[in-house]
Amino acid sequence: MTTSRPEVLDPASPAHRPAETAPASAPPGPSRSRRSSVVIALALSAGTAALVGAEFIPAGVLPAMAADLGVSEGRAGLTVAATALAGAITAPTIATVLPRADRRTVMLSLLGLAILSNLLVMVAPSLPIVLGARILLGAAIAGFWSFAFGVGVQVTGRPALVSTTVALGTSTATIVGVPLSSVLGDLIGWRAVFALISALTLGSGVLLWRLLPPVPAQPGAGLAMMRAALGNRRLVAGVLVIGVAAFANFAAYPYIRLAIEAVQVQAVAALLLAWGLGGLVGNLAGGWAARWIRWGVVAGPMILLAALLAVATTSSVVVLGLAVIAWGLGFNMVPVTTQLWVSALEPRRVESAIALQVTAFQIAIMLGSVVGGVLVDQRGPAAAMALGAGSAALAAVGFAAIRVRPAAS
């Protein structure tokens, strides 16, 4: 079998759920309507949007931030790498450190940590202080993202809904984190943008506090579950490929504004917005492609490959615009499809599988922003785009080579 049916992607389904990871909360029934499940999933999406939006603000305000802190634009891009480094360490370990903690309490605390980080960046006088504050944000993002899917499934019993809405938060954050931050940074200053994202994070925290019930940790959560997940060779290989796919984007994405400016300075705001809108379409396309999950994960990197090659080589504003939209669409399919993909590869230990997916993303963000920054400083943004295109090609081949077997087998 080369494709997986929709039920394969439902680790919360009673038919496929082993006792060791049975949800502590009952799936939606008369007491939890379809509407309330959607509202809770959207609240989780809002929290994800606030955190990921903060992660990528530097990509939208990079020139002003670099000038204010007295560093090159490539070094200022390390603010994204610092966040990712902390996230890569936090994602696979937070469940081990907090194996029994109520997940609602943990997630609200992580949003508070993100607020502290953003406020510190807002007043930081130098790059080292900014980097320290961004480490706090990385821990908050990775922890929240690692728990969001499992918590959502425990409360609603609807994995596809939760995966799509959480990824929708990530896609929305590309609009908040880059295009709007670029415009607002020019109007009110880059530091004020961090104050604004702090307020939005607080609002998402209040929303979750009101809507999300207490969520006990899954039975068996912690080090033993992670060790068992790491024993799944297909999952480990898949996580490595996810890292390559994410690297393809993040070697280029922190420098997207520079790539656009190299063709048409006046088009920056419009094309950054177009990237975000393409991302929203990609989010929906990823959810739709999940019914053919093996090939759904291939489609995103293939579209990303074509888009990055076009951005790297074109001097036409029209072609650049189409390529930027395709870039947003192709990459934003990846978080949705890969989240469901690892759930299909390891349906019995979803929390650990998602944590490894998050780790792969954060390592890729860190390495991509560092390597991309070096290329930008030495050879210009087109070199970073070309590197991303090559990595996307490798990811597409890797995804195609890994078979997803039905959970029922």
Side-chain angles (χ1 to χ4, degrees), residues 319-337:
V319 174
L320 179 64
L322 294 174
V324 165
I325 293 171
W327 180 356
L329 189 157
F331 174 69
N332 282 280
M333 290 181 67
V334 174
V336 183
T337 55

Side-chain angles (χ1 to χ4, degrees), residues 190-263:
W190 69 271
R191 295 181 186 273
V193 176
F194 278 96
L196 179 60
I197 198 65
S198 298
L200 293 174
T201 306
L202 177 61
S204 68
V206 171
L207 189 63
L208 278 174
W209 174 70
R210 291 182 60 87
L211 295 175
L212 194 65
V215 183
Q218 289 185 346
L223 185 59
M225 182 185 288
M226 180 59 71
R227 280 202 303 261
L230 289 172
N232 184 331
R233 294 182 179 179
R234 287 187 301 124
L235 175 64
V236 172
V239 167
L240 292 175
V241 178
I242 290 170
V244 175
F247 178 87
N249 180 73
F250 293 110
Y253 185 64
Y255 312 102
I256 184 173
R257 176 168 179 163
L258 303 181
I260 295 172
E261 288 178 345
V263 177

Side-chain angles (χ1 to χ4, degrees), residues 35 63 149 194 211 246 268 283 307 339 344-345:
R35 180 178 179 182
F149 180 78
F194 278 96
L211 295 175
V268 168
N283 173 261
Q339 189 171 67
L345 288 172

Side-chain angles (χ1 to χ4, degrees), residues 152-219:
V153 171
Q154 282 182 258
V155 174
T156 70
R158 300 177 65 189
L161 168 69
V162 174
S163 179
T164 301
T165 51
V166 169
L168 178 64
T170 303
S171 299
T172 303
T174 62
I175 298 178
V176 175
V178 179
L180 291 184
S181 67
S182 176
V183 174
L184 291 174
D186 291 342
L187 293 175
I188 62 178
W190 69 271
R191 295 181 186 273
V193 176
F194 278 96
L196 179 60
I197 198 65
S198 298
L200 293 174
T201 306
L202 177 61
S204 68
V206 171
L207 189 63
L208 278 174
W209 174 70
R210 291 182 60 87
L211 295 175
L212 194 65
V215 183
Q218 289 185 346

Side-chain angles (χ1 to χ4, degrees), residues 29-310:
S31 61
R32 190 172 302 286
S33 67
R34 179 179 296 269
R35 180 178 179 182
S36 67
S37 295
V38 171
V39 171
I40 289 172
L42 289 174
L44 291 169
S45 177
T48 305
L51 292 171
V52 177
E55 183 171 18
F56 295 115
I57 283 176
V61 299
L62 195 62
M65 174 183 277
D68 194 6
L69 297 175
V71 297
S72 70
E73 291 171 343
R75 288 191 65 197
L78 293 176
T79 56
V80 176
T83 305
L85 174 61
I89 296 171
T90 301
T93 59
I94 189 168
T96 301
V97 174
L98 302 169
R100 297 180 180 85
D102 180 87
R103 296 319 192 213
R104 174 182 182 268
T105 301
V106 173
M107 295 175 76
L108 293 175
S109 299
L110 291 170
L111 289 174
L113 186 64
I115 293 171
L116 174 62
S117 167
N118 292 326
L119 293 178
L120 287 173
V121 172
M122 182 184 69
V123 300
S126 64
L127 182 62
I129 295 177
V130 171
L131 294 176
R134 298 282 291 178
I135 287 173
L136 300 180
L137 179 67
I141 292 171
F144 191 95
W145 196 357
S146 295
F147 290 137
F149 180 78
V151 165
V153 171
Q154 282 182 258
V155 174
T156 70
R158 300 177 65 189
L161 168 69
V162 174
S163 179
T164 301
T165 51
V166 169
L168 178 64
T170 303
S171 299
T172 303
T174 62
I175 298 178
V176 175
V178 179
L180 291 184
S181 67
S182 176
V183 174
L184 291 174
D186 291 342
L187 293 175
I188 62 178
W190 69 271
R191 295 181 186 273
V193 176
F194 278 96
L196 179 60
I197 198 65
S198 298
L200 293 174
T201 306
L202 177 61
S204 68
V206 171
L207 189 63
L208 278 174
W209 174 70
R210 291 182 60 87
L211 295 175
L212 194 65
V215 183
Q218 289 185 346
L223 185 59
M225 182 185 288
M226 180 59 71
R227 280 202 303 261
L230 289 172
N232 184 331
R233 294 182 179 179
R234 287 187 301 124
L235 175 64
V236 172
V239 167
L240 292 175
V241 178
I242 290 170
V244 175
F247 178 87
N249 180 73
F250 293 110
Y253 185 64
Y255 312 102
I256 184 173
R257 176 168 179 163
L258 303 181
I260 295 172
E261 288 178 345
V263 177
Q264 177 60 265
V265 174
Q266 289 78 12
V268 168
L271 291 186
L272 289 176
L273 179 60
W275 192 98
L277 294 176
L280 292 176
V281 175
N283 173 261
L284 298 175
W288 175 80
R291 66 190 69 187
W292 306 284
I293 192 62
R294 184 182 179 188
W295 304 111
V297 292
V298 175
M302 289 299 294
I303 296 171
L304 181 61
L305 163 63
L308 288 176
L309 283 177

